[in-house]
Amino acid sequence: MPLHTLIVDFNSYFASVEQQERPELRGRPVAIVPVMTERTSCIAASLDAKRHGVKTGTPVAEARQMCPGLVVIEARSELYVQYHHRLVAMIERCVPVTEVLSIDEVRCDLPGDFSRREKAQAIAQQIKRTITHEAGPCLTSSIGIAPNAFLAKVASDLVKPDGLVLFDDPDLPGCLYELSLRDLPGIGHNMEQRLLAAGFDSVEKLCAASRADLRRIWGGIEGERFYDGLHGAVVYRPATQTGSTIGHSHVLPPDMRNESSALATLHRLLQKAAMRLRHSASYAGGLHLSLRYVGRDRWSDALTFLETQDTRELIRVFNQLWDRRPTSARAQPIGVGVTLFHLSPAHNHTATLFETGDARTGLNAAIDRLNRKLGKNTVVYGGALGALHYAPIRIAFNRIPDVALEGGETDDELLATPADIQNARSSRTSRASLKSPRRQAGVF
Ligand SMILES: [Mg+2]
């Protein structure tokens, strides 16, 4: 099985950020609380506090008893979100980030060459080095590498702090046998009881269970998904109608609040989204464009089309949408966003008559490879020129708490909502409508 997934999990994240910012806290037991009162519970604990048994959920009064000298600090969410974005950007320079799992955990699917054992290990080391040099030595992480996300998660939980664990063919499934059932994602107290009742009292026995056994114990398809996860299969969750999207938004700095800079920024964001689409082995069947204007007015429109992962085809659809924007003199753009939707996994994709063919696929792959190898923006389509220094790429933040605190850089409201996706029309019908007199921009 090729190594498909790398998961980075930051150790004692909130406490580590505080120790990085405040050197006097390093090496001391630290607990983070949401508000400064003795009646609350810890939301995070530093390594030294954990050694005394303090963990997330421990009441403060109890924590002080367990751990004399405990330093209790009120959480600074804004700071943790800022660090999060910086850390994700640092990882992104080593390997494309596929999904942000939480504020202190990201998943990266390993493209092409990166899925070889030595290369995957080298990337993990590079991520750790980059973070130590650029964010600081307190921000340690545990990295897990495995044939799928389920096993990578298990691997990342195995050694803390500062772990690097790789599960590969020769080690699987034996390397899992010493774990307890509860160490596996998806097994909580209740599921453990059901497994014990069915005679599966060890991970070794669980690994020997059949798919049908697990379906029966879980009572449905989740059991089969667990089976696939445990056995290293790469499981693609079926895309729901409004579920998965890939989107980027950006608030324009004052000197770029004009149409040409907005256009260049959008091209850059679109090309980045297309690269992520290909890295996640998906196709998109919809594109949503959103603009915010001075005065807070938002305009957006969306089109659907035959599913593709080709940048040039996406640019073609994008240009159709761009032509529909309001262009009155007062329409000064202040924020831009693009979202790809109607995503479906490559293995569900059926080639069509309109497919662009091998040459275009090869071109996209070559551009992605150059950008991975030599740094992003090494090769871009011309439309993005003029925005390369201004469009830092961020991923969607819907799982990051307190995103409003992030300020300035991105704007979630510029990404497609389920309603936007539902209202999207086909690009093929719209091609005809472009010939008719230009409609007034209704939403504006
Ligand atoms: Mg963590």
Side-chain angles (χ1 to χ4, degrees):
M1 281 179 286
L3 295 164
H4 190 268
T5 309
L6 179 151
I7 285 181
V8 185
D9 182 1
F10 287 93
N11 307 124
S12 307
Y13 178 63
F14 297 166
S16 300
V17 172
E18 293 292 349
Q19 287 175 321
Q20 185 57 47
E21 288 282 305
R22 298 172 55 186
E24 73 275 16
L25 297 175
R26 296 182 193 174
R28 296 180 65 188
V30 174
I32 311 292
V33 292
V35 280
M36 261 332 212
T37 151
E38 289 302 298
R39 283 193 296 276
T40 187
S41 298
C42 305
I43 54 170
S46 72
L47 194 62
D48 296 279
K50 281 178 180 163
R51 287 199 184 107
H52 286 84
V54 179
K55 52 187 179 188
T56 302
T58 308
V60 174
E62 210 175 291
R64 285 193 199 279
Q65 281 180 351
M66 294 162 119
C67 181
L70 183 71
V71 185
V72 179
I73 295 177
E74 187 168 308
R76 295 191 280 170
S77 314
E78 189 171 352
L79 180 66
Y80 311 149
V81 172
Q82 281 169 7
Y83 262 83
H84 165 84
H85 295 314
R86 284 178 57 208
L87 293 167
V88 171
M90 288 171 204
I91 297 170
E92 180 88 30
R93 275 193 276 119
C94 303
V95 61
V97 172
T98 311
E99 186 183 9
V100 171
L101 301 169
S102 71
I103 193 159
D104 70 340
E105 203 177 353
V106 302
R107 188 190 106 215
C108 308
D109 289 344
L110 296 169
D113 263 11
F114 287 25
S115 61
R116 285 187 299 118
R117 191 181 178 104
E118 308 72 44
K119 185 77 182 168
Q121 256 161 341
I123 287 166
Q125 300 288 9
Q126 190 193 347
I127 291 171
K128 283 172 180 282
R129 267 197 316 274
T130 305
I131 288 168
T132 306
H133 285 146
E134 296 181 24
C138 296
L139 275 302
T140 61
S141 60
S142 290
I143 298 184
I145 302 167
N148 68 9
F150 179 95
L151 294 171
K153 173 75 188 136
V154 176
S156 74
D157 282 340
L158 223 51
V159 178
K160 290 181 178 179
D162 202 22
L164 169 49
V165 175
L166 185 146
F167 289 159
D168 204 355
D169 268 337
D171 332 315
L172 286 167
C175 55
L176 305 173
Y177 291 170
E178 58 202 73
L179 300 175
S180 68
L181 292 171
R182 292 282 289 273
D183 289 333
L184 299 177
I187 301 187
H189 174 74
N190 291 344
M191 188 50 67
E192 185 186 27
Q193 295 307 312
R194 279 153 76 172
L195 286 166
L196 292 176
F200 297 105
D201 61 357
S202 70
V203 173
E204 182 166 3
K205 286 185 189 164
L206 188 62
C207 287
S210 71
R211 176 187 283 267
D213 285 335
L214 298 193
R215 188 186 170 95
R216 182 169 39 77
I217 295 166
W218 257 263
I221 187 97
E222 277 306 315
E224 296 189 8
R225 292 208 177 109
F226 188 91
Y227 178 94
D228 289 335
L230 191 61
H231 293 274
V234 178
V235 183
Y236 293 100
R237 299 249 166 188
T240 55
Q241 192 183 6
T242 56
S244 40
T245 59
I246 293 178
H248 294 294
S249 66
H250 188 61
V251 176
L252 300 169
D255 60 333
M256 291 186 69
R257 291 175 184 167
N258 54 66
E259 291 232 302
S260 64
S261 298
L263 179 61
T265 303
L266 280 164
H267 268 283
R268 177 73 196 92
L269 297 178
L270 178 65
Q271 290 177 39
K272 180 66 189 175
M275 189 166 160
R276 278 184 61 204
L277 181 74
R278 292 188 291 270
H279 283 146
S280 66
S282 301
Y283 283 70
L287 176 64
H288 176 268
L289 167 63
S290 190
L291 294 163
R292 188 184 297 292
Y293 292 91
V294 170
R296 304 292 296 167
D297 288 315
R298 173 183 181 255
W299 171 87
S300 70
D301 207 341
L303 288 171
T304 63
F305 41 87
L306 288 166
E307 56 179 34
T308 185
Q309 54 174 204
D310 175 32
T311 300
R312 281 182 59 185
E313 173 62 10
L314 292 170
I315 289 175
R316 186 190 67 76
V317 177
F318 168 82
N319 286 337
Q320 266 182 270
L321 284 168
W322 175 255
D323 282 345
R324 297 176 174 190
R325 77 199 181 283
T327 51
S328 73
R330 72 187 179 97
Q332 189 192 354
I334 192 170
V336 295
V338 284
T339 310
L340 300 175
F341 60 92
H342 287 343
L343 304 190
S344 60
H347 66 80
N348 280 358
H349 176 71
T350 348
T352 69
L353 286 175
F354 303 93
E355 208 79 291
T356 46
D358 284 349
R360 197 71 71 74
T361 308
L363 176 64
N364 285 316
I367 291 174
D368 291 352
R369 216 174 304 128
L370 284 167
N371 286 333
R372 268 205 305 274
K373 203 162 185 170
L374 304 173
K376 66 185 178 197
N377 302 341
T378 301
V379 182
V380 294
Y381 284 90
L385 293 174
L388 298 183
H389 303 296
Y390 283 97
I393 299 312
R394 310 269 195 251
I395 30 201
F397 303 104
N398 43 359
R399 299 200 188 183
I400 305 304
D402 295 317
V403 68
L405 296 170
E406 207 252 351
E409 307 252 342
T410 65
D411 184 341
D412 275 359
E413 287 178 31
L414 292 173
L415 300 177
T417 65
D420 291 327
I421 292 172
Q422 207 138 42
N423 294 333
R425 285 142 303 137
S426 160
S427 67
R428 288 155 72 71
T429 49
S430 74
R431 225 173 282 161
S433 75
L434 276 183
K435 291 185 188 124
S436 57
R438 185 81 159 269
R439 69 192 177 94
Q440 297 299 308
V443 192
F444 185 54

